[in-house]
Amino acid sequence: MPQTPRLEVGDKAPSFSLPDADGKIVKLSDYKGRKVIVYFYPAASTPGCTKEACDFRDNLRELNDAGLDVVGISPDKPEKLAKFRDKEKLTFPLLSDPDRKVLTAWGAFGEKMMYGKKVEGVIRSTFVVDEKGKIEVAQYNIRATGHVAKLRRDLSV
């Protein structure tokens, strides 16, 4: 299993055009002129991913007030994302990347360690893309719990 290339601060963020939970297409270019947090997670409705999504939901007002939008991306189908969004009352876009092309382009899919074994899968990752489409923050292999609080500290939000 080859490791996908990792993005670094200053890199141009790979573009995307993906369906949200309602099937509406959302593009990275929709956020031009604003900063956006793009986070990748393995699967909707799993304990860690639910904790992370709810942390973003609970901190969304402060992030938005600081000029940051939030977008979550997983390989889940839009129908599963809609159930997850509705159950957890999530108020930011969840995007579907079932063929994992966007995940791979961002370095968020590949070899990882899980329970001491090497497996191929989604690498929990978070990025901040600046107003011009450049990577301002690139974090791989993050922990679901406490991640948003650390991100807020790092960004002084």
Side-chain angles (χ1 to χ4, degrees):
M1 287 180 269
Q3 183 59 52
T4 57
R6 300 262 170 123
L7 296 176
E8 296 182 13
V9 171
D11 287 349
K12 184 176 184 331
S15 64
F16 59 74
S17 179
L18 295 170
D20 69 7
D22 298 316
K24 178 180 164 260
I25 298 298
V26 175
K27 301 174 187 170
L28 179 60
S29 60
D30 296 342
Y31 296 93
K32 188 171 178 149
R34 283 189 58 83
K35 288 186 180 188
V36 60
I37 296 169
V38 179
Y39 82 96
F40 295 90
Y41 60 99
S45 300
T46 57
C49 296
T50 298
K51 174 71 174 136
E52 184 178 25
C54 291
D55 275 353
F56 274 116
R57 177 200 65 205
D58 295 347
N59 286 278
L60 194 60
R61 177 173 289 140
E62 289 85 358
L63 293 168
N64 288 166
D65 287 350
L68 291 152
D69 292 316
V70 176
V71 175
I73 301 176
S74 78
D76 297 310
K77 299 263 193 259
E79 302 78 27
K80 185 175 180 188
L81 295 177
K83 287 180 187 168
F84 182 46
R85 176 200 60 203
D86 295 347
K87 180 175 187 247
E88 302 302 334
K89 297 177 176 52
L90 303 175
T91 54
F92 55 88
L94 299 176
L95 307 183
S96 172
D97 183 26
D99 62 11
R100 299 169 179 82
K101 285 183 180 165
V102 174
L103 283 150
T104 301
W106 287 67
F109 186 82
E111 189 177 279
K112 66 180 186 175
M113 294 298 286
M114 198 156 126
Y115 306 113
K117 294 185 178 184
K118 282 185 182 179
V119 298
E120 188 174 56
V122 176
I123 299 162
R124 192 181 303 276
S125 310
T126 298
F127 304 88
V128 176
V129 180
D130 73 13
E131 299 89 344
K132 295 179 181 162
K134 299 274 190 191
I135 301 292
E136 188 174 293
V137 174
Q139 300 175 338
Y140 290 94
N141 296 310
I142 55 133
R143 294 198 173 280
T145 304
H147 168 62
V148 176
K150 181 185 181 318
L151 189 61
R152 284 187 60 187
R153 282 193 306 275
D154 291 350
L155 297 171
S156 300
V157 174

Coordinates of all heavy atoms in Angstrom, one line a residue, residues 60-97:
L60 N -19.0 26.0 15.8 CA -19.2 26.6 14.5 C -19.4 28.1 14.5 O -18.8 28.9 13.7 CB -20.4 26.0 13.8 CG -20.5 26.2 12.3 CD1 -19.2 25.8 11.5 CD2 -21.7 25.6 11.7
R61 N -20.2 28.7 15.5 CA -20.4 30.1 15.6 C -19.1 30.9 15.7 O -18.8 31.8 15.0 CB -21.4 30.4 16.7 CG -21.6 32.0 16.8 CD -22.6 32.4 17.8 NE -23.9 32.0 17.2 CZ -24.9 31.6 17.9 NH1 -24.8 31.4 19.2 NH2 -26.1 31.3 17.4
E62 N -18.3 30.4 16.7 CA -17.0 31.1 16.9 C -16.1 31.0 15.7 O -15.4 31.9 15.3 CB -16.3 30.5 18.1 CG -17.0 30.8 19.4 CD -18.1 29.9 19.8 OE1 -18.4 29.0 19.0 OE2 -18.7 30.1 20.9
L63 N -16.1 29.8 15.0 CA -15.3 29.6 13.8 C -15.8 30.6 12.7 O -15.0 31.3 12.1 CB -15.3 28.2 13.4 CG -14.6 27.2 14.3 CD1 -14.9 25.8 14.0 CD2 -13.1 27.4 14.3
N64 N -17.1 30.6 12.5 CA -17.7 31.4 11.5 C -17.4 32.9 11.8 O -17.0 33.7 10.9 CB -19.2 31.2 11.4 CG -19.6 29.9 10.7 OD1 -20.7 29.5 10.8 ND2 -18.7 29.2 10.1
D65 N -17.5 33.3 13.1 CA -17.3 34.7 13.5 C -15.8 35.1 13.2 O -15.5 36.3 13.0 CB -17.6 34.9 15.0 CG -19.1 34.9 15.2 OD1 -19.9 35.0 14.3 OD2 -19.5 34.9 16.4
A66 N -14.9 34.1 13.2 CA -13.5 34.3 12.9 C -13.2 34.2 11.4 O -12.0 34.3 11.0 CB -12.6 33.3 13.7
G67 N -14.3 34.1 10.6 CA -14.1 34.0 9.2 C -13.8 32.7 8.6 O -13.2 32.6 7.5
L68 N -14.1 31.6 9.4 CA -13.8 30.3 9.0 C -15.1 29.5 8.7 O -15.9 29.4 9.6 CB -13.0 29.5 10.1 CG -11.5 30.0 10.3 CD1 -11.1 29.8 11.7 CD2 -10.6 29.3 9.3
D69 N -15.2 28.9 7.5 CA -16.3 28.0 7.2 C -15.8 26.6 7.5 O -14.6 26.4 7.6 CB -16.7 28.1 5.8 CG -17.4 29.4 5.5 OD1 -18.2 29.9 6.3 OD2 -17.1 30.1 4.5
V70 N -16.7 25.6 7.6 CA -16.3 24.2 7.9 C -17.0 23.3 6.8 O -18.1 23.5 6.6 CB -16.7 23.8 9.3 CG1 -16.4 22.3 9.5 CG2 -16.0 24.6 10.3
V71 N -16.2 22.3 6.3 CA -16.7 21.3 5.4 C -16.1 20.0 5.8 O -14.9 19.9 6.0 CB -16.3 21.6 4.0 CG1 -16.7 20.5 3.0 CG2 -16.9 22.9 3.5
G72 N -17.0 19.0 6.0 CA -16.5 17.6 6.3 C -16.6 16.7 5.1 O -17.6 16.8 4.3
I73 N -15.6 15.8 4.8 CA -15.6 15.0 3.7 C -15.4 13.5 4.1 O -14.4 13.3 4.9 CB -14.6 15.4 2.6 CG1 -14.9 16.8 2.1 CG2 -14.6 14.4 1.4 CD1 -13.9 17.4 1.1
S74 N -16.2 12.6 3.7 CA -16.0 11.2 3.9 C -16.4 10.4 2.7 O -17.0 10.9 1.8 CB -16.8 10.7 5.1 OG -18.1 10.5 4.8
P75 N -16.1 9.1 2.7 CA -16.5 8.2 1.6 C -17.9 7.8 1.6 O -18.4 7.1 0.7 CB -15.6 7.0 1.6 CG -14.7 7.1 2.9 CD -15.1 8.4 3.6
D76 N -18.7 8.3 2.6 CA -20.1 7.9 2.7 C -20.9 8.4 1.6 O -20.7 9.5 1.1 CB -20.6 8.4 4.1 CG -19.9 7.8 5.3 OD1 -19.8 6.5 5.3 OD2 -19.5 8.5 6.2
K77 N -22.0 7.7 1.3 CA -23.0 8.1 0.3 C -23.8 9.3 0.9 O -24.0 9.4 2.1 CB -23.9 7.0 -0.1 CG -23.1 5.8 -0.7 CD -23.2 5.9 -2.2 CE -22.8 4.6 -2.9 NZ -21.5 4.6 -3.4
P78 N -24.4 10.1 0.0 CA -25.2 11.3 0.5 C -26.3 10.9 1.4 O -26.6 11.6 2.4 CB -25.7 11.9 -0.8 CG -24.7 11.6 -1.8 CD -24.2 10.2 -1.5
E79 N -27.0 9.7 1.2 CA -28.1 9.3 2.0 C -27.6 9.1 3.5 O -28.3 9.4 4.4 CB -28.7 8.0 1.5 CG -29.2 8.1 0.1 CD -28.1 8.0 -1.0 OE1 -27.1 7.4 -0.8 OE2 -28.4 8.6 -2.1
K80 N -26.4 8.4 3.6 CA -25.9 8.2 5.0 C -25.5 9.5 5.6 O -25.7 9.7 6.8 CB -24.7 7.2 4.9 CG -24.2 6.9 6.3 CD -23.1 5.8 6.2 CE -22.6 5.5 7.6 NZ -21.4 4.6 7.6
L81 N -25.0 10.4 4.8 CA -24.6 11.7 5.4 C -25.8 12.5 5.8 O -25.8 13.2 6.9 CB -23.8 12.5 4.3 CG -22.5 12.0 3.9 CD1 -21.9 12.8 2.8 CD2 -21.5 11.9 5.1
A82 N -26.9 12.4 5.1 CA -28.2 13.1 5.5 C -28.7 12.6 6.8 O -29.1 13.4 7.7 CB -29.2 12.9 4.4
K83 N -28.6 11.3 7.0 CA -29.1 10.7 8.3 C -28.2 11.2 9.4 O -28.7 11.5 10.5 CB -29.1 9.2 8.2 CG -30.2 8.6 7.4 CD -30.1 7.1 7.4 CE -31.1 6.5 6.4 NZ -30.9 5.1 6.1
F84 N -26.9 11.2 9.2 CA -25.9 11.6 10.2 C -26.2 13.1 10.5 O -26.2 13.5 11.7 CB -24.5 11.4 9.6 CG -23.4 11.8 10.5 CD1 -23.3 11.4 11.9 CD2 -22.3 12.4 10.0 CE1 -22.2 11.7 12.7 CE2 -21.2 12.8 10.8 CZ -21.2 12.4 12.1
R85 N -26.3 13.9 9.5 CA -26.5 15.4 9.7 C -27.8 15.6 10.5 O -27.8 16.4 11.5 CB -26.6 16.0 8.3 CG -27.0 17.5 8.4 CD -27.6 18.1 7.1 NE -28.8 17.3 6.8 CZ -29.3 17.3 5.5 NH1 -28.6 17.8 4.5 NH2 -30.4 16.6 5.3
D86 N -28.9 14.9 10.1 CA -30.1 15.1 10.8 C -30.1 14.6 12.2 O -30.6 15.3 13.1 CB -31.3 14.5 10.0 CG -31.5 15.1 8.6 OD1 -30.9 16.2 8.4 OD2 -32.2 14.5 7.8
K87 N -29.5 13.5 12.4 CA -29.5 12.9 13.8 C -28.7 13.8 14.7 O -29.1 14.0 15.9 CB -28.9 11.5 13.8 CG -28.8 10.8 15.1 CD -28.3 9.4 15.0 CE -28.4 8.7 16.4 NZ -27.1 8.4 17.0
E88 N -27.5 14.3 14.3 CA -26.6 15.1 15.1 C -26.8 16.6 15.0 O -26.1 17.3 15.6 CB -25.2 14.7 14.8 CG -24.8 13.2 14.9 CD -25.1 12.7 16.3 OE1 -25.1 13.4 17.3 OE2 -25.3 11.4 16.4
K89 N -27.8 17.0 14.2 CA -28.2 18.4 14.0 C -26.9 19.2 13.5 O -26.6 20.3 14.1 CB -28.8 19.0 15.3 CG -30.1 18.4 15.6 CD -30.6 18.9 16.9 CE -32.0 18.4 17.3 NZ -32.1 17.0 17.3
L90 N -26.2 18.7 12.5 CA -25.0 19.3 12.0 C -25.5 20.4 11.0 O -26.4 20.2 10.2 CB -24.1 18.3 11.3 CG -23.7 17.1 12.2 CD1 -22.9 16.1 11.4 CD2 -22.9 17.6 13.4
T91 N -24.8 21.5 11.1 CA -25.2 22.7 10.3 C -24.1 23.2 9.4 O -24.1 24.4 9.0 CB -25.6 23.9 11.3 OG1 -24.5 24.1 12.2 CG2 -26.8 23.5 12.1
F92 N -23.2 22.3 9.0 CA -22.2 22.6 8.0 C -22.2 21.5 7.0 O -22.7 20.4 7.2 CB -20.8 22.8 8.6 CG -20.4 21.6 9.4 CD1 -19.7 20.5 8.9 CD2 -20.6 21.6 10.8 CE1 -19.3 19.5 9.6 CE2 -20.2 20.5 11.6 CZ -19.6 19.4 11.0
P93 N -21.7 21.7 5.7 CA -21.8 20.7 4.7 C -21.0 19.5 5.0 O -19.8 19.6 5.4 CB -21.3 21.4 3.4 CG -21.3 22.9 3.8 CD -21.2 23.0 5.3
L94 N -21.6 18.3 4.7 CA -20.9 17.0 4.7 C -20.9 16.6 3.3 O -22.0 16.5 2.6 CB -21.7 16.0 5.6 CG -21.8 16.4 7.1 CD1 -22.7 15.3 7.8 CD2 -20.4 16.5 7.7
L95 N -19.7 16.3 2.7 CA -19.6 15.9 1.3 C -19.2 14.5 1.2 O -18.5 13.9 2.0 CB -18.5 16.8 0.7 CG -18.7 18.3 0.8 CD1 -17.7 19.1 0.1 CD2 -20.1 18.8 0.4
S96 N -19.7 13.9 0.0 CA -19.6 12.5 -0.3 C -18.5 12.3 -1.3 O -18.5 12.8 -2.4 CB -20.9 12.0 -0.8 OG -20.8 10.7 -1.3
D97 N -17.5 11.4 -1.0 CA -16.4 11.1 -1.9 C -16.2 9.6 -2.0 O -15.2 9.1 -1.5 CB -15.1 11.8 -1.4 CG -13.9 11.6 -2.4 OD1 -14.1 11.3 -3.6 OD2 -12.8 11.6 -1.9

